[in-house]
Amino acid sequence: MTIPLLAIACLLLVTLCYAGTCAVSPFGNCRKCHGFGHVMKTDRRGRPKRGKDCRRCDATGKRIRAGRWLYNRASRIYREGHEA
């Protein structure tokens, strides 16, 4: 197997795995708060305490994956284009 063919096969496998992940689990953990829904802070002694609510995920701890966002956008445009 040649190197370009192997690279194409690997990219195709990664793409299909990510599409499957987006279909099965469309939401992932927020990158800013790591799924807590709020930013962790520490007090003066270094103990962790609850910070403010995360603005990126609106304190849910979840975000929509990029692939699912693209799929939702494409299907919405398709639906709007085919309405009677």
Side-chain angles (χ1 to χ4, degrees):
M1 193 181 267
T2 63
I3 292 179
L5 189 60
L6 184 63
I8 290 171
C10 288
L11 285 174
L12 185 62
L13 180 69
V14 168
T15 302
L16 290 176
C17 288
Y18 183 70
T21 301
C22 288
V24 173
S25 177
F27 295 98
N29 287 336
C30 177
R31 291 187 203 118
K32 186 173 182 180
C33 65
H34 304 289
F36 288 119
H38 52 83
V39 179
M40 293 298 291
K41 290 183 138 184
T42 56
D43 60 2
R44 290 183 179 191
R45 291 185 164 186
R47 293 180 298 199
K49 72 175 201 175
R50 188 181 200 282
K52 293 182 179 181
D53 287 343
C54 181
R55 295 188 314 179
R56 183 179 287 179
C57 64
D58 293 328
T60 61
K62 296 292 178 185
R63 62 165 181 87
I64 193 159
R65 295 184 194 274
R68 186 60 183 215
W69 182 85
L70 288 172
Y71 173 77
N72 289 347
R73 180 63 54 113
S75 63
R76 186 178 305 127
I77 290 171
Y78 180 79
R79 271 194 317 269
E80 289 173 357
H82 281 79
E83 287 182 356

